[in-house]
């Protein structure tokens, strides 16, 4: 019945229109999570009419020829440059996000040192505990400082007690809640002092991996600082309508896990078989649009807005702070109404906002004003 079909299609469109209105109204109230809302990939819409698939190693031919491996290789090369790793020595691929990137780094580390112990701080992203369960890796959580940076004394003593085992260390290059950066130089010194020669260091640089390369005085974050693998998110500072990221490591390590798969004509070196071919295209297009100089400007403005947020909170009597070179602003936990309205990220007695490219000074003013009104309504609890 054509009439019934038309009615169903109308209902479907109404639902889609409603969802679109919701997304649009929430767009500028997304300040607690690092998802850049300022992007335009409309030029790529024609590619949604096809079924591309980046199966297998992006540096290896595939029988499945509808792919974006060429763009993916260029994206990996750009990240290798930013992370101070020679393109000749670099290997990587575009992932589904930070969790897959962290899993890949830890997978390589475990394959290199099957009897190694994984060390990570209590401020490390929650996905790591899950990953370690999947990999069945021995692991020890280390205390964090108030800033979110790892407690180096606790790390030293814990490694010393277990110094007969290889070390697999996860460095936070921008912790989830506080944007803290672990000092890999101090970690390397601990390993040297304890004469630990078998070690692997992975960097979870989900957000700050696209910040530190563009500031004047960054904390150590690249392969020249001693990392063996790095995971960076793509949907955060770069911006994407779907989660994605980049896993980057040294080409020599990947040979330990590579397998040839005849029926698709590829080397199997990634965690997944079939992979998204649109996200590499989006990341490639973003760099074509902005270039490295453009991202330097974008990051500079984000840091300026974060500085403004700290000043605006403090001038209003609400204590706020941020770590050096961080776009994450930490302040006392406001009411649940304010958290929900601005999609803030709360944890125990604190919350944070993140100065992403779509977060303006005007938005900061509105968030601060709402926090103040919340305190005035319930001055004893701040709720």
């Amino acid at each position: 019945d054509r009439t019934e079909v038309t009615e169903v299609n109308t209902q479907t469109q109404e639902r889609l229109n409603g969802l679109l209105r919701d997304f649009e109204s929430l767009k500028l109230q997304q300040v607690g999570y690092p998802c850049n809302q300022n992007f335009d990939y409309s030029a790529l819409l024609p590619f949604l009419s096809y079924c591309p698939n980046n199966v297998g190693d992006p540096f290896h031919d595939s029988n499945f020829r509808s792919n974006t491996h060429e763009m993916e290789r260029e994206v990996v090369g750009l990240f290798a440059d930013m992370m101070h790793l020679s393109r000749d020595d670099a290997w990587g691929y575009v992932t589904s996000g930070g969790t897959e990137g962290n899993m890949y780094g830890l997978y390589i580390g475990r394959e290199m040192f099957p009897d190694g112990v994984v060390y990570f701080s209590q401020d490390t992203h929650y996905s790591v505990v899950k990953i370690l369960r999947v990999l069945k890796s021995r692991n020890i959580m280390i205390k964090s400082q108030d800033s979110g940076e790892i407690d180096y004394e606790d790390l030293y003593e814990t490694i010393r007690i277990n110094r007969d085992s290889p070390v697999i260390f996860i460095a936070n290059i921008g912790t989830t809640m506080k944007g803290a950066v672990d000092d890999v130089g101090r970690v390397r010194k601990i390993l040297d002092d304890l004469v630990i020669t078998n070690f692997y260091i992975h960097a979870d640089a989900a957000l700050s991996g696209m910040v530190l390369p563009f500031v004047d005085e960054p904390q150590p974050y690249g392969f020249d600082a001693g990392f063996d693998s790095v995971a960076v998110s793509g949907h955060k500072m770069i911006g994407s309508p779907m989660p994605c990221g980049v896993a980057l490591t040294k080409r020599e390590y990947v040979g330990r896990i590579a397998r040839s798969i005849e029926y698709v004509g590829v080397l199997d070196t990634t965690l997944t078989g079939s992979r998204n071919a649109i996200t590499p295209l989006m990341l490639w297009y973003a760099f074509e649009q902005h270039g490295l100089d453009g991202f330097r400007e974008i990051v500079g403005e984000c840091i300026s807005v974060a500085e403004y947020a700290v000043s605006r909170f403090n001038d209003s009597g609400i204590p706020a702070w941020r770590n050096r070179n961080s776009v994450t602003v930490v302040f006392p936990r406001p009411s649940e109404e304010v958290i929900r309205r601005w999609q803030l990220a709360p944890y125990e007695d604190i919350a944070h906002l993140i100065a992403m490219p779509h977060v303006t000074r005007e938005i900061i003013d509105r968030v601060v004003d709402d926090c103040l009104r919340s305190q005035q309504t319930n001055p004893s609890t701040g709720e």
Side-chain angles (χ1 to χ4, degrees), residues 25-170:
S25 66
L26 292 169
K27 178 178 179 179
L28 297 182
Q29 292 175 288
Q30 168 61 275
V31 301
Y33 299 92
C35 298
N36 177 12
Q37 302 283 337
N38 282 355
F39 55 80
D40 181 4
Y41 293 114
S42 56
L44 304 182
L45 286 176
F47 291 93
L48 298 183
S49 298
Y50 304 93
C51 185
N53 190 324
N54 279 15
V55 60
D57 191 317
F59 293 87
H60 192 269
D61 290 336
S62 169
N63 292 341
F64 195 98
R65 294 169 56 195
S66 297
N67 62 59
T68 60
H69 279 164
E70 181 179 351
M71 281 77 172
E72 187 172 20
R73 290 192 294 270
E74 291 183 35
V75 170
V76 170
L78 286 166
F79 274 87
D81 294 342
M82 288 190 290
M83 296 295 155
H84 307 144
L85 179 63
S86 165
R87 292 196 181 197
D88 291 337
D89 298 328
W91 186 92
Y93 73 101
V94 174
T95 67
S96 61
T99 296
E100 184 181 347
N102 285 336
M103 179 176 281
Y104 194 81
L106 290 172
Y107 173 44
I108 295 289
R110 190 200 65 181
E111 292 302 291
M112 292 183 65
F113 301 110
D115 58 342
V117 177
V118 180
Y119 299 87
F120 63 100
S121 82
Q122 66 186 94
D123 275 55
T124 298
H125 191 265
Y126 68 85
S127 67
V128 167
V129 173
K130 176 171 56 180
I131 291 166
L132 294 173
R133 287 177 180 167
V134 172
L135 295 176
K136 298 187 183 300
S137 297
R138 297 168 58 202
N139 62 88
I140 300 175
M141 181 185 289
I142 305 299
K143 292 189 299 184
S144 293
Q145 302 176 54
D146 290 341
S147 66
E149 194 172 346
I150 197 167
D151 186 317
Y152 300 101
E153 293 183 3
D154 188 31
L155 179 65
Y156 180 95
E157 288 301 317
T158 307
I159 293 178
R160 184 183 64 79
I161 294 169
N162 298 278
R163 60 183 298 180
D164 58 325
S165 299
V167 170
I168 301 172
F169 180 72
I170 303 174

Side-chain angles (χ1 to χ4, degrees), residues 219-231:
Q219 299 96 316
Y221 65 88
F223 284 79
D224 57 334
F227 291 113
D228 295 294
S229 58
V230 175

Side-chain angles (χ1 to χ4, degrees), residues 333-342 346 348 374 382-383:
R333 181 173 182 149
S335 69
E336 294 305 311
E337 179 187 357
V338 174
I339 289 172
R340 181 167 177 79
R341 179 183 304 152
W342 293 105
E348 296 181 348
S374 171
E383 297 184 352

Side-chain angles (χ1 to χ4, degrees), residues 4 23 263:
E4 182 179 350
F23 283 178
Y263 62 84

Side-chain angles (χ1 to χ4, degrees), residues 249-279:
T249 188
K250 298 178 181 179
R251 189 178 298 273
E252 63 182 286
Y253 297 161
V254 179
R256 295 174 176 267
I257 64 168
R259 293 189 311 135
S260 178
I261 309 299
E262 181 180 359
Y263 62 84
V264 283
V266 299
L267 279 179
D268 180 28
T269 49
T270 65
L271 285 181
T272 54
S274 294
R275 295 188 293 108
N276 195 322
I278 299 299
T279 48

